[in-house]
Amino acid sequence: MNLSDSQTAGSVPRRISAMEAVLGHLRGAIERGEYAVGDKLPSEAELCRRLEVSRPVLREALRALQTMGLTVSRTGKGTFVLSNGPVEDPTFGDYAASDLLEVRRHVEIPVAGYAAARRTPEDLDHLAHLLERMERETDTTAWVAMDTLFHLAVAQAAQNPVFRRVIEEIRDALARQSAFLNELGGRREQSNREHRAIVEALVDGSAHDATEAMAHHLDRVETTLTAIVLSEHTDSADTPTEGGPKA
């Protein structure tokens, strides 16, 4: 089975990654009961053979299934179906998405306001340089790493080490969430625009605009996450490609 690399949303085709296609196929199979709760999924080698994808692509899809609460990975035993429908509150590392977002709203929004009032020229130079790198970056893994650095840099600009320590504590969860949203929600370009709005507010020294920009950014994160987890499954995985390469 060679997975399709595009799907249609309305009348506008949207390119999807090989990982997204694999995830869609496996999620659909679980939700249709082809793999029942308690069942063990085929081995990675077998799934790679069936779906004609590389092991890294498959592993990303399996991680996404686990984040959605559909499966659980047991060391040395394999991946087992945990639920036939995604949980409303996925987990990123040690933290549930709702807990993560609640803390981010209470911390990062006021932090943006403090940063607008307290940022130094060095802070602004660092943020501008980081933003430029993010806007040029095409590799998701590299972009995600810079995404967490961006939020740390905003906390640093607030000139309160406690704020930075809080962001450091949730850094792994932020990276996992960012990767999830970018792989499945196509968030990168939108995030870049939202980050630029935050930086522009910091440059202007406007606490109001900075808090508004950060609040909008977190609103979009929540909206995209909800859409991914609760959207109806559209199985394009059985659609053959027309001469498309294997992942």
Side-chain angles (χ1 to χ4, degrees):
M1 179 188 298
N2 189 298
L3 298 183
S4 173
D5 65 352
S6 65
Q7 67 183 16
T8 301
S11 60
V12 180
R14 181 175 72 83
R15 301 285 294 184
I16 65 172
S17 67
M19 186 281 272
E20 194 172 355
V22 172
L23 174 61
H25 173 78
L26 293 175
R27 177 178 175 177
I30 291 170
E31 290 178 347
R32 291 191 299 271
E34 294 173 22
Y35 298 116
V37 173
D39 283 355
K40 179 182 176 181
L41 295 185
S43 68
E44 289 186 3
E46 176 63 17
L47 286 172
C48 286
R49 185 191 65 79
R50 289 186 192 178
L51 303 178
E52 301 183 53
V53 295
S54 67
R55 189 156 292 195
V57 166
L58 177 66
R59 286 176 174 171
E60 285 291 331
L62 291 176
R63 278 194 287 270
L65 284 175
Q66 189 166 337
T67 295
M68 289 179 169
L70 293 172
T71 63
V72 61
S73 177
R74 295 172 183 159
T75 304
K77 295 182 179 180
T79 299
F80 294 81
V81 178
L82 194 62
S83 171
N84 59 6
V87 297
E88 293 186 15
D89 196 9
T91 299
F92 296 104
D94 295 331
Y95 303 110
S98 62
D99 291 340
L100 190 62
L101 187 63
E102 182 176 64
V103 168
R104 294 188 71 185
R105 288 191 185 282
H106 281 284
V107 174
E108 291 196 79
I109 293 174
V111 159
Y114 290 129
R118 301 171 180 172
R119 81 291 187 275
T120 66
E122 291 76 18
D123 291 325
L124 295 179
D125 286 345
H126 176 54
L127 282 162
H129 178 64
L130 191 56
L131 185 59
E132 289 170 4
R133 289 176 58 201
M134 293 176 75
E135 291 175 340
R136 292 194 305 267
E137 186 57 64
T138 58
D139 179 74
T140 296
T141 301
W143 189 94
V144 164
M146 287 187 282
D147 185 24
T148 59
L149 289 175
F150 178 88
H151 287 275
L152 280 168
V154 173
Q156 180 67 37
Q159 311 302 326
N160 183 329
V162 179
F163 286 140
R164 182 180 175 89
R165 182 64 63 88
V166 171
I167 303 303
E168 284 278 11
E169 167 62 28
I170 62 174
R171 184 174 181 175
D172 177 67
L174 291 180
R176 291 170 184 262
Q177 184 183 72
S178 180
F180 184 78
L181 293 176
N182 280 283
E183 286 287 0
L184 300 179
R187 275 273 305 161
R188 191 184 308 161
E189 290 186 6
Q190 187 178 44
S191 287
N192 284 340
R193 290 194 296 270
E194 293 159 12
H195 287 164
R196 180 159 289 281
I198 293 168
V199 172
E200 288 173 352
L202 298 187
V203 170
D204 292 341
S206 172
H208 175 269
D209 289 350
T211 56
E212 288 290 308
M214 185 64 79
H216 174 69
H217 177 54
L218 297 180
D219 284 344
R220 297 307 303 164
V221 166
E222 181 177 22
T223 298
T224 304
L225 181 61
T226 300
I228 292 170
V229 175
L230 300 182
S231 65
E232 290 186 359
H233 171 68
T234 301
D235 189 1
S236 63
D238 294 322
T239 304
T241 57
E242 297 181 2
K246 297 177 184 178

